Amino acid sequence: MLTISNVYKHLERKQLLNEVSFNVGNGRCVGLIGPNGAGKSTLVKLISGLEEPSGGTIKIMGKDIRQWSVKKLAQKVSVLTQDGLSPYPISVFDAVLMGRYPHLSFFQREGKRDIQRVEEVLEFTGLADFRDQMLDTLSGGERQRVAIAKAMVQEPELLLLDEPTTYLDIGYQMNVLNLVKDWQERESLTVLMVLHDLNLAAQYCDELILMDEGSIVKRGTSEEVISAQMLKEVYHASPEIVRHPKLNIPQILL
Amino acid sequence: MRNRSILIISLPLLIATLLVVMSLSITLGSASVDWQTVWRVIFSKITVINQWVEPDWADTTETIVWDLRMPRVIQGAIVGSALALAGAIYQGVLRNPLADPFILGVSSGASFGAALVFALGWQIMWLGQFTLPVVAFLFGFGSLMLVYFLARVGNKVRMETIILAGVVVQAFIGACLSLVMALANEQLQTIVFWMMGSLSLTEWSYNYVVFPIIAIIAIISLFFARELNMLSLGEEIAHHSGVSVSRTRFYLLILASVMTGAAVSVSGAIGFVGLVVPHIVRLIVGADYRLILPLSIIGGAIFLVGADTFARTILAPREIPLGVVTAFLGAPFFAYLLRRAKREYF
């Protein structure tokens, strides 16, 4: 699905990303973790075409993304950012409908099928009752849910999440990630998510990629990646590692 | 859907209002003409319909209605539409509520060009009476390009930078303009009058040129409403939704600026229309550009035709500069709406 080969990025003298290579298989959910400045967000920006790599290639479904227009890329990739949608006075329905944009030509208006898709997604995400509310009257968590609905309507093959839970309370953190998980399972979507919270990463991802100083340090299951030695090395911290009583995965206590 | 029903109700209403204001404006003036005669003169000029109209008015009446007041009212409508639409687009692209059609230096450039034409008495041969608008337009467009390329770093243009570049270029061109004005003795009054905006120099021939330009651009602009909405949600969101951000912004700035340039070149820099009309529309119908753009077009026309009617009748036979009237009417009305608005709307 996603193949990254020897991708690097520097900004003037500063090396943001050293030659990074990895791939993500179809329908997988992979978590990107690592300390601040590890290059996780840079990587997401490169894959979403917001910035261009200084070298290397990024392929989605076997195609180099540089060959695609912004619109074409948006047909394949949806992105959920930590800021989500701005609190702009536009209705939930209209905001979600914007997700259809990459599938429409410049002069084409939204048709029946597009509207129907929006209705379905509003139903699925539990936003049906909010449809006429303006974004600026919603809470951050609700807006993030609208952002997910918009991303779903986009019908992507790959979903990128850049710390989508940063500003949310624990209720909404679970809510947002559960929604993504349901969606992924229903449509065998491929997901790559940057998460700061290692506990959430261990719970929601099939696999974790640990980054530090612009390089990949380790890739594997949460079991393999979250260890006392790794936390010490990369985060310079020594929290307690315990087992989740129900899920049997490593969780950390600060 | 909510949007469509708002448009279906408000557009015909506004267009009807515009027609009423326009015909009212034609009836008023030193020689008043009743409105039935106004419409009959207009119908008599339209093929097919004119066979049902019996011309029973004096020739002077026809001259007043058709040759003097009509072109002026029509130009007012065209210029008002163009400035209001351009203002709405600038505000959306720059994401700045203070943006108006003149923020990127189009009007300073045009004014400078016009001042040169007046001061030097230029008359480019083959351009004839179009020398003034063409030179004004080219200077306006030139200063926009200057601003754009000043603000460009690599191939990206940041919106904060472009506003700053606009301030810089405006200051510089403003200085050039002042210099020309200081040196131009007899022509000073004409230059000042032009800069404050006026529709008194109208001719039919100007409308024939300006109308198609502005109409085509306005129609293209309407198709960008969706992109403007997405840009309002944030640059990154727009990109992730498939909008090619820098290209879309460039197109929109060009469209809005050509429209502004065309309007300014025939009427001078009429302030306040482009700032106030889109805001009034926004306060009433909300932040959706699919509504703001079409309603600003008609709203701008109504506003400017109305203002021009005031400008030429209130102190008749003297005429007040149109820019003075737009600010006089616009500012208090805007202040009233702003105080009344219960929540953030931009």
Side-chain angles (χ1 to χ4, degrees), chain A residues 17-88:
Chain A
L17 209 58
N18 305 320
E19 307 227 343
V20 165
S21 302
F22 68 91
N23 56 59
V24 177
N26 246 336
R28 300 286 288 173
C29 179
V30 175
L32 272 177
I33 56 172
N36 290 329
K40 302 165 301 208
S41 293
T42 305
L43 197 52
V44 169
K45 281 185 180 146
L46 297 181
I47 300 171
S48 66
L50 205 56
E51 283 174 21
E52 277 182 33
S54 309
T57 52
I58 299 170
K59 285 184 176 172
I60 291 173
M61 303 164 79
K63 280 268 196 181
D64 191 333
I65 62 166
R66 266 174 299 195
Q67 292 167 1
W68 282 337
S69 64
V70 178
K71 206 171 200 174
K72 180 86 183 164
L73 187 62
Q75 291 173 9
K76 312 287 178 198
V77 185
S78 274
V79 186
L80 220 56
T81 61
Q82 50 180 322
D83 304 318
L85 303 170
S86 332
Y88 189 73

Side-chain angles (χ1 to χ4, degrees), chain A residues 11 25 32 54 56 59 65 73 87 129 131 141 143 148 160 170 178 201 210 212 230 238:
Chain A
L11 200 66
L32 272 177
S54 309
K59 285 184 176 172
I65 62 166
L73 187 62
D129 293 340
R131 49 177 300 150
R143 275 209 306 278
I148 295 181
L160 299 173
I170 50 166
N178 285 336
L210 174 65
D212 191 23
M230 174 287 278
S238 349

Side-chain angles (χ1 to χ4, degrees), chain A residues 48 86 101 108 136 150, chain B residues 226-227 233 239 241 290 343:
Chain A
S48 66
S86 332
Y101 179 79
Q108 198 181 358
D136 58 339
K150 175 173 164 293
Chain B
R226 215 163 31 189
E227 281 82 354
L233 283 180
H239 172 90
S241 314
R290 288 171 300 179
R343 58 198 194 100

Side-chain angles (χ1 to χ4, degrees), chain B residues 117-131:
Chain B
V117 172
F118 286 129
L120 303 174
W122 271 357
Q123 182 88 317
I124 299 170
M125 281 281 271
W126 47 274
L127 282 173
Q129 88 254 40
F130 284 105
T131 307

Side-chain angles (χ1 to χ4, degrees), chain B residues 271-285:
Chain B
F272 236 75
V273 186
L275 180 68
V276 161
V277 173
H279 278 304
I280 293 175
V281 172
R282 233 181 234 112
L283 281 164
I284 296 169
V285 301

Side-chain angles (χ1 to χ4, degrees), chain B residues 39-121:
Chain B
W39 280 106
R40 284 168 61 223
V41 171
I42 294 169
F43 286 139
S44 76
K45 296 287 180 182
I46 303 171
T47 46
V48 186
I49 304 178
N50 59 10
Q51 53 187 307
W52 290 292
V53 186
E54 192 68 38
D56 57 359
W57 49 80
D59 281 354
T60 47
T61 311
E62 182 163 331
T63 312
I64 289 172
V65 171
W66 188 255
D67 296 325
L68 294 176
R69 294 189 191 159
M70 247 325 249
R72 180 164 181 160
V73 163
I74 287 183
Q75 192 182 321
I78 297 171
V79 168
S81 307
L83 291 177
L85 179 59
I89 293 174
Y90 275 119
Q91 286 159 12
V93 173
L94 303 174
R95 289 182 81 188
N96 187 329
L98 289 178
D100 74 356
F102 307 147
I103 197 168
L104 299 185
V106 175
S107 69
S108 340
S111 300
F112 179 49
L116 279 180
V117 172
F118 286 129
L120 303 174

Side-chain angles (χ1 to χ4, degrees), chain B residues 21-29 31-33 38 42 64-66 69-70 73 309 312:
Chain B
V21 172
M22 284 172 85
S23 49
L24 191 71
S25 177
I26 298 175
T27 63
L28 295 174
S32 67
V33 183
V38 169
I42 294 169
I64 289 172
V65 171
W66 188 255
R69 294 189 191 159
M70 247 325 249
V73 163
T309 313
R312 64 185 176 80

